[in-house]
Amino acid sequence: MEIQNAVLFITGANRGLGLAFAQEALRRGAKKVYAGVRNPTETNTPGIVQVKLDVTDAASIIAAAKQCGDTTLLINNAGIARLNSSSLDASMIDLSREIFETNYYGTILVSQAFAPILAKNGGGAVINVLSDATWFSRPMLAAYSASKSAVWSFTNALRIELRNQNTAVSGLHVSFMDTDMTSGFEMKKTSPQDVAQAALSGIEEGKEEILVDDFTKAVKQSFASEKTIYLNPPEIA
Ligand SMILES: NC(=O)c1ccc[n+]([C@@H]2O[C@H](COP(=O)([O-])OP(=O)(O)OC[C@H]3O[C@@H](n4cnc5c(N)ncnc54)[C@H](OP(=O)(O)O)[C@@H]3O)[C@@H](O)[C@H]2O)c1
């Protein structure tokens, strides 16, 4: 689909990748960007409409969908990451539940609320923001990685089902980005602006899986080799 004249609904669009998506969409001529945010603030950026949204709160999702009935492109971007010291750590269960509420159940609830809207508006598209961690786990990111694998699995089911209503569903896979989520960690990071550009170009080209950086591409390719990365994940990539 074309971004020009599209109406986007982006979860978690107040900072990080979500904000970069909003800015890049407007640069490409989007008609409007609904920024789903937990704490709406005074903003006078033309084209951006803040909408109160907490992806762990079903009532706020339903209210947002009611308000944004002209949406043609949904971006499930909101996400959280937490470190666990080990997969065997006692905190692993509570941590997993917390992360899954946002990353997995949040994505499902928002997708369910907006799928009928996309259908009514001609089909449109969905981008689910995933990660290189979709395809391998670092022990200290075990709970987060499991949540992204789960969202990928949901994405694969959703894309098959929504083909019936002409909605294209894409998974966006990216390694570390330079956002608040990785602040304080020294590693190679992609800028969220570059990721937003690659993702929206991917949507315009009709890609169902968008792999942004070389490391993420290497992870996926390595599934076919004996030296697959998920059996030997690097500490930091
Ligand atoms: N940074 C990376 O290295 C990296 C790599 C691969 C994938 N990702 C994924 O990229 C996406 C964006 O992450 P980011 O790097 O931009 O992180 P970020 O800078 O920490 O931003 C996270 C965004 O999600 C929002 N959010 C969190 N919980 C929410 C909730 N319950 N309801 C609504 N909004 C909520 C935050 O809103 P508040 O301001 O209210 O907290 C914020 O806008 C996430 O899905 C993340 O998993 C990140």
Side-chain angles (χ1 to χ4, degrees), residues 12 14-15 17 38 54-55 77 130 144 148 177 179 182:
N14 51 312
R15 59 192 172 96
L17 178 61
R38 284 194 278 201
D54 182 333
V55 301
N77 163 77
L130 302 164
Y144 174 78
K148 291 297 184 184
M177 285 186 288
T179 65
T182 59

Side-chain angles (χ1 to χ4, degrees), residues 11-19 36-39 53-57 76-81 101-103 129-133 144 148 172-182 189 192:
T11 66
N14 51 312
R15 59 192 172 96
L17 178 61
L19 179 60
V37 300
R38 284 194 278 201
N39 299 302
L53 177 85
D54 182 333
V55 301
T56 66
D57 173 4
N76 282 308
N77 163 77
I80 57 172
E101 277 301 326
T102 300
N103 295 6
V129 178
L130 302 164
S131 169
D132 59 354
Y144 174 78
K148 291 297 184 184
L172 171 65
H173 304 263
V174 57
S175 191
F176 294 112
M177 285 186 288
D178 193 5
T179 65
D180 293 345
M181 193 174 272
T182 59
K189 300 176 190 174

